Each structure stands twice: as structure tokens, then as C-alpha cells.
Amino acid sequence: MPVSSQHKVYIPNSSRDNQYLLAEFSLTDAILARFGAPMVDSAEPFKEFYLQLGKIFFELADQAGLRNVHLIANGKTPVVRFHTEAYTLQTAEQILFFYNPAYHEAQNSFFNPAEKARKVSLLFLATDANIRANAADFHNKVRSLLQRFSDEINSPELSIKVRDHQHLTYDLFAKQKGVKESYGYKLRSLDARYKARNCELPEKHSALTYAIINLPLSRYVKEQVTIDTKSDRPYNALYQLIQDQFVEATSLNKLTHRAVLANGLLPLVRNSKFDKMSTGKELQMIGFDTSVSEGQLIADWDDSNLVESAQFIIFATKDDYTDMGYGRFMNQVETALRRFAKGVNLNPERDDLVVRFHQHISYHL
């Protein structure tokens, strides 16, 4: 393979892009006081505050030309995915936004008027047909809005953390299903891409790059082992097979920081230098330590319970990045996944193995 090809990964044209920015700040008494005292004799003492805050936010968004924005003050974590139809669904711990960036627009507030939220989140969903090419411009617009928002709130206690999330999602077996066209990506780091487009990030910022892979546990996968339904741990052999095949395939391709998850939870990936692992009823925070040179394997599965799908995380370290980008890393990921797929008897023409390439940056405004 020519050197230039080693640094490009060819992703099917059926892939889907997402980008969103999440700005969060703690809701302090001083910030509340800027809008007047809560109506303590009311059943909804914080309603007026949230409405005023939303009015400021949505007016600034309109002025900036940002057309899909949301204010979240109910303690729930936003999850953003591509969909041909627009849906917003809430669970106990999540708000799920399904939308097509090419044409869906919305403005919504989510809050409990009877409670003071611990934090307020401002969510900005990209609305463009060409997200990657215009990502830096979108980031600049959001950051400019947040500066104006900070001026409007005018509180010394206001400290805004900004997270920029970008996903590129595709089926590893798209070609076998008839998708013939693909495009070569170098997958440069976000700071390099942004700098080339006149978007300078703060010197103090953190970046994460990783791939999450979703494996539906189909009948064909489960038939690889004998499931003892009389046992207290009937799915141990199944999950052990999946883990062994994944670890072997990734090790052969020098991918060292990995996770195998089969617990029905949604993983949120963080840098363990700043965030510790934690688990809720729906969400699981996974922290990787890039300073561990020998690698890191996180395995979390419940062999007494059969989940619909297993998830794998392959985390990129500084050794996985080249001056060209993360293209070589993703080529290694794809090679490992194809080997893994054979090990668990996947049929590329029938089965899906969905890969989501993530790039995140975060900093304080």
C-alpha cells in the first residue's frame, strides 16, 4: 500500500455526519439573583428565571443564524444521532435528539419549573449539508454567541465549559451491501482542521479521539457457543468469546486502549485524567488513561443477562496520530474489525457492524 494510502481511510458515501456543541455552566445563587429572586410562594418558583434565560439565549441564536438550539436544565444528558425524521425523546437520564442536519431546525427548553438545576446546558446542533467542511465556521459562531451570552448574564460566577463533538458513522460492510462509492479521509485532528480555517482554539484544551462499534447479538452470533439456560451465568461463554476475539484482533493491529461492554448502558468516553469512571441506570462514563503505555482493557458485561447488542471502544493515543491525521488509526481499526467479524461468524451481506468515529474537544471559555 502506498504511503499516502496508509494515511487515508476510505469511508462509504452512505456515511452520516453529526456535529454539536454543548456549553455548560453551574447555576449559582448569584446567577439566579441577576434575574430577581425566585417566587418562593409559587409551585413553580424557577419558571420565570428559565423563561428569561431562554429568551436571551434564543434571541442570540436567531441573531447568529443558529437554527437548532436547545436549553437543558433538568439534569439529563443530551445524546445526538442522525435520523431522517426529527425526534426528541426523554428518559430518566437522557434527552435523545434525532435529526437530519441538512434540513431540521428547532428551539426548545427542557426544565423543571419547580426545581433549581445544578447546571444549565446550551446545546447547538449543526444544520448544514456539509458538516465537516463547515465545522470550524459553526464553532466560531457558537463561541461568538457564548461570549455575548456571558456579557448578557454579567456574573463573575459564570464559567462556561464548551464541548465540541463530531461523529462520522458508517457500516463497515456497506460495500458488501451495494454501496460502491467511497471517499478518502485523512481524519486530521480538530485543532489542525480548525486552525486551517481561521478558528483558533484556546491553548488549554483537551482532545479525545476514539471509535465506538456496535455489534447486534444476532442468532448467528449466539450460535457460536452453547448457552446453558439452567446456569446462573448462561451468557458467560458468549461474552467471553466476543471479548477474546476482539482483544486478539485489536492486539494484532497494535490497538492498545480498548473496552468491551455488554451491559445495556450508553458509554460516555472521557479522559480519566479529568473524569473518573461512573455508572448510572442508563449511562456509563468510561475513562481511558493515555499514559498507560502497555495498554488498557475495560471489560464490563453481565453474564446473567442477554443484551441486544455489545459495544466496543477503541481509544486513540498520541501514538495513533500522525502528521497526516487519524487515517492510519482507522485503517488499523477496520482491519481489526474485519478479523473480529470472521471470528464471530458475521455475514457482511446480512449483518451490520456500525462504526462511529468520534472527535471531541473541550475547554473553558
Side-chain angles (χ1 to χ4, degrees):
M1 181 185 293
V3 173
S4 58
S5 297
Q6 292 178 5
H7 296 279
K8 281 187 177 181
V9 58
Y10 287 85
I11 292 176
N13 283 4
S14 57
S15 65
R16 305 181 299 275
D17 277 330
N18 278 109
Q19 180 188 13
Y20 66 94
L21 271 76
L22 187 65
E24 298 177 322
F25 61 91
S26 297
L27 183 52
T28 65
D29 291 336
I31 293 174
L32 276 171
R34 295 288 301 159
F35 294 83
M39 297 180 293
V40 293
D41 57 344
S42 167
E44 298 180 335
F46 300 98
K47 180 178 180 178
E48 186 60 28
F49 165 74
Y50 291 130
L51 291 176
Q52 290 186 55
L53 195 67
K55 184 175 185 293
I56 293 172
F57 175 49
F58 294 133
E59 285 181 354
L60 290 174
D62 287 339
Q63 293 167 18
L66 297 168
R67 303 187 301 275
N68 203 328
V69 298
H70 306 270
L71 184 150
I72 303 169
N74 59 7
K76 297 182 181 181
T77 299
V79 177
V80 180
R81 295 291 184 263
F82 179 96
H83 202 282
T84 53
E85 298 183 55
Y87 293 99
T88 302
L89 307 173
Q90 294 195 58
T91 68
E93 295 182 359
Q94 305 171 63
I95 301 183
L96 298 100
F97 296 89
F98 297 93
Y99 85 117
N100 186 328
Y103 49 80
H104 288 147
E105 302 178 4
Q107 285 187 353
N108 287 302
S109 295
F110 304 90
F111 59 83
N112 183 341
E115 295 183 2
K116 173 190 170 185
R118 183 179 62 84
K119 67 178 179 181
V120 174
S121 300
L122 307 177
L123 177 66
F124 305 83
L125 306 182
T127 53
D128 203 303
N130 195 345
I131 286 182
R132 290 184 71 83
N134 297 311
D137 181 57
F138 178 60
H139 189 102
N140 274 334
K141 284 183 179 180
V142 171
R143 187 161 60 184
S144 178
L145 179 149
L146 291 174
Q147 293 285 3
R148 295 180 63 190
F149 179 82
S150 181
D151 292 341
E152 290 278 353
I153 303 303
N154 190 27
S155 171
E157 291 194 3
L158 180 64
S159 176
I160 300 176
K161 184 169 185 177
V162 181
R163 290 191 175 98
D164 188 333
H165 301 253
Q166 294 183 38
H167 310 158
L168 186 59
T169 307
Y170 61 99
D171 178 10
L172 184 70
F173 303 136
K175 185 175 182 180
Q176 288 85 346
K177 296 184 179 72
V179 180
K180 301 303 181 185
E181 295 184 3
S182 63
Y183 185 82
Y185 290 85
K186 295 179 183 177
L187 300 178
R188 289 185 298 163
S189 65
L190 289 187
D191 47 4
R193 283 168 49 201
Y194 281 12
K195 187 174 183 180
R197 290 173 169 81
N198 300 313
C199 177
E200 293 284 347
L201 296 173
E203 184 177 348
K204 288 187 177 181
H205 70 271
S206 61
L208 300 178
T209 301
Y210 56 92
I212 291 185
I213 303 93
N214 189 68
L215 171 71
L217 297 182
S218 67
R219 174 170 58 88
Y220 301 97
V221 174
K222 289 181 283 190
E223 285 177 348
Q224 304 308 299
V225 298
T226 300
I227 295 177
D228 183 3
T229 56
K230 296 181 180 180
S231 169
D232 293 335
R233 303 166 59 193
Y235 305 107
N236 181 269
L238 173 63
Y239 294 151
Q240 193 64 59
L241 168 72
I242 290 170
Q243 177 172 312
D244 291 346
Q245 292 292 332
F246 177 72
V247 169
E248 179 183 6
T250 50
S251 296
L252 288 171
N253 285 275
K254 298 180 172 57
L255 300 166
T256 59
H257 287 64
R258 303 149 294 177
V260 181
L261 309 172
N263 53 22
L265 303 177
L266 178 72
L268 303 176
V269 179
R270 299 289 185 263
N271 188 327
S272 63
K273 179 179 178 181
F274 306 105
D275 298 286
K276 302 303 179 185
M277 288 183 60
S278 62
T279 301
K281 293 182 179 179
E282 301 176 12
L283 306 172
Q284 179 177 21
M285 187 175 291
I286 303 291
F288 287 92
D289 185 352
T290 57
S291 67
V292 181
S293 58
E294 64 271 20
Q296 187 177 7
L297 175 64
I298 298 170
D300 192 344
W301 35 270
D302 178 3
D303 52 15
S304 66
N305 181 48
L306 179 63
V307 295
E308 291 184 1
S309 61
Q311 292 182 301
F312 309 97
I313 303 171
I314 303 176
F315 191 86
T317 69
K318 65 180 187 304
D319 295 330
D320 294 313
Y321 181 74
T322 73
D323 291 339
M324 300 283 284
Y326 288 100
R328 186 183 68 180
F329 165 72
M330 283 306 294
N331 277 320
Q332 291 174 293
V333 168
E334 288 198 357
T335 300
L337 291 178
R338 294 186 192 280
R339 182 183 181 93
F340 166 77
K342 290 181 180 179
V344 296
N345 198 33
L346 295 187
N347 182 338
E349 295 179 357
R350 177 196 64 220
D351 297 316
D352 291 340
L353 193 59
V354 176
V355 181
R356 183 174 291 114
F357 174 72
H358 291 247
Q359 288 180 288
H360 295 182
I361 52 173
S362 63
Y363 59 86
H364 282 90
L365 194 65

